[in-house]
Structures are given as C-alpha cells and as structure tokens.
Amino acid sequence: MTLTDVAESLGISSITVSRALREPDKVSEPLRERILQQVEQMGYVPDLAARALASRQSGVIGVLAPALTNHAHLSIMRGIEERVRDSGLRIQYANCRNDPQEECRQIRLFLSQNPAGILLSGLQARDGVLELLKSAPCPVVQIVDLHLTPSGLAVGINHCEATATAIRHLIACGYRRIGMIGGSRDVRAERKHEGYSLAMREAGLLDPALVVSADDPTGIALGCQLLQQLKAQAPDADCVFCQNDDLALGALFEAQRLGLSVPDFGICGYNDLGFAAYTQPALTTVRVPRFDMGYRAVDMLIRAVNGEATPEAPIDLGFALIERQTTRQLA
C-alpha cells in the first residue's frame, strides 16, 4: 500500500495526501479527516526512510533530557507530546543521566539521523555541546535556566529568582533559621542554591550549617535522610526549603516522625507536582509551568521546521509562589 494508492482512491493528488500527513495545518479540516479515515481504512504506513531521503530530514524530533524518570520532567514530556500530536512529526527520547559526555554522544547520534529538529530539555549545554549545536543542520530549541542567556531558540524560567522569591517569603513569614536540602547538583540545583544564598545573605541569615545536600538522585527517602541530617547539625532550624517537591514530601514525613509541628516548622517545596495540594498539611511550593515549557518549546521547533516566524529572544514563562499549609505567618 502506497501513498499514491491512497491518493487515487480519493481522487486527489499524492502531494495533498502527503501534506495532510506531514503538515496538517495546511489542509482543510474536512479534507484532512477524509484522508486520515482513508489512510486508516487502507492500512497505509508511511515509508519513513523514503521520506527522509526526499526531504533530507527524518521527521523525528530528538529530545534529550537529563533524567527521563524525574517527576518534574514527566510534565514537560506531556507538553511536548501534546504539541507534536497531529503534526506529522515523531519524538525520540534520549536520557543523558546528567553526564556531559553522554550528552555529546546522544547529540551526535541524533545528528547522524538527519532529525527534523533537536530539543534539549534542562541540559547544561557545555562548550562541547554548544559547538555541536552551532553546526546542526536542523533547528535546535533549549528548555533552560534563562540566566545562561542561550543563543537561538529557548524557553524557561530563572530558577535563582524563583528560589530567592520563595526564601524572601519564608523570611517575611518570620522564619529565621531556614535550611536548604538538595540532591544531584545539576544546573537547576546550582541556580536554586544561588537563589537561596542570595536571599539569606540579604537578610543577614546565611549559615553554611543550614545547607545539606547529597550527590544522589532526589526522592522521598532522600528528603527524610536530609532533614534528619539538617536537624542534627542545626537543631534550631525552624524551616526548610527543598530543591523539589519529592524531597519536600520526604521532609514532611520525617518532620512528623520527629514530632515537629508543621507549619511551626516550615516546609517549602519546588515544582508544584500534582500531590503537593493534597499532602496533609498541603505543601507550600514554587509552581513551575512544566507542561507549558514542553508545549512552547516544541511549538517553536515545529514553526522553525516549517519555515515560520519564531521568537528572537528566549521566552520567560515565569513562576508562582503557592502558599499552602506547610508554612504560616509566625506571631
């Protein structure tokens, strides 16, 4: 079964069928529906190798991520896939495991396959990677901390500013011995640490004993362990800012085990994952528009692939502090 067979059965050109499958926005909705129904009925399967030869690109968007199992990244993936749906393009994921060498290797692999585009999701884009991207024959979009002032297409937020905003809020609530716990130190973790240090230094409250981290993947168990360690080395800590909501949930469980009264002992997370509003008490956190990051990044990529106009400057999607019941205004 070929594309020409589908076209002849409908009495239209093969070019129109191809456009409906690859660039659906350029075909009227009624005609597109007729074509898709006929494709399904006849069992036509596109020859991707032939398409790649004809168009000089494979129709695949390569997405490189630091950790595909990270809960925060799953929301980004949902945004990516929602925008790709019905675009005629496909997604291929690669997990770089926060390893710069693996990052370079995966980009080289993608480039060898003539991708339609490449999306870097939260990677650090060191010098070797940047050189590869400059020579890429396809559009490249980054989801990145905006302090990096990326060249080219990019979307993201400023994690340092977001964290500093959260810490200033905690200080305004009356907390003074505010700890910070974190796991693997990627670029986002480093920026959060910078934001924490900035706000605490401004208030004259910065104390290295209040910062506890481990070079391990973040999770609930690690949150429990790090809160134990924080209270051991700084028993007077009255609040903790957590690198993400997974750690914050672990910290909340551990605080309850230790008999700490929350929110007299404050806990603040980061990301606003789905469970944050339903913990007991509900978790104060920083909301990051993760779904929008994925959606907007791929939207830019698709527009670039289609030769349409794209933003000249990186897009800042912003953040929001969500105040719930794990913090309160102290008397």
Side-chain angles (χ1 to χ4, degrees), residues 137-281:
C138 61
V140 176
V141 177
Q142 296 183 58
I143 299 176
V144 67
D145 189 300
L146 295 180
H147 90 286
L148 295 173
T149 58
S151 59
L153 302 175
V155 62
I157 72 167
N158 188 318
H159 292 282
C160 176
E161 181 182 346
T163 301
T165 296
I167 300 303
R168 291 178 186 126
H169 167 74
L170 298 174
I171 293 171
C173 285
Y175 299 105
R176 289 295 177 269
R177 297 288 287 167
I178 304 167
M180 178 176 181
I181 61 174
S184 301
R185 294 296 292 270
D186 60 13
V187 66
R188 292 171 304 284
E190 291 171 0
R191 289 291 287 163
K192 291 170 191 175
H193 186 270
E194 290 174 20
Y196 166 85
S197 298
L198 173 65
M200 291 291 281
R201 188 180 299 110
E202 286 175 348
L205 300 173
L206 187 62
D207 179 355
L210 291 169
V211 179
V212 180
S213 63
D215 190 19
D216 297 307
T218 59
I220 296 171
L222 185 63
C224 295
Q225 296 167 18
L226 294 182
L227 184 63
Q228 275 188 352
Q229 187 175 339
L230 172 65
K231 290 298 288 182
Q233 65 188 46
D236 59 344
D238 59 4
C239 184
V240 62
F241 172 81
C242 306
Q243 180 180 314
N244 58 38
D245 288 344
D246 293 337
L247 290 172
L249 183 57
L252 177 58
F253 289 158
E254 190 61 27
Q256 292 167 344
R257 273 193 288 269
L258 293 173
L260 300 176
S261 176
V262 178
D264 294 333
F265 179 84
I267 299 175
C268 180
Y270 196 97
N271 281 324
D272 195 25
L273 296 181
F275 64 75
Y278 300 98
T279 60
Q280 182 57 40

Side-chain angles (χ1 to χ4, degrees), residues 72-90:
H73 190 73
L74 294 178
S75 293
I76 294 176
M77 290 167 63
R78 285 196 291 271
I80 289 171
E81 292 169 6
E82 179 65 26
R83 179 61 183 89
V84 168
R85 182 179 298 135
D86 299 328
S87 71
L89 299 171
R90 296 171 295 122

Side-chain angles (χ1 to χ4, degrees), residues 312-327:
E312 294 183 2
I315 296 176
D316 187 345
L317 293 178
F319 58 87
L321 177 67
I322 308 300
E323 185 177 6
R324 297 194 180 103
Q325 286 76 54
T326 55
T327 58

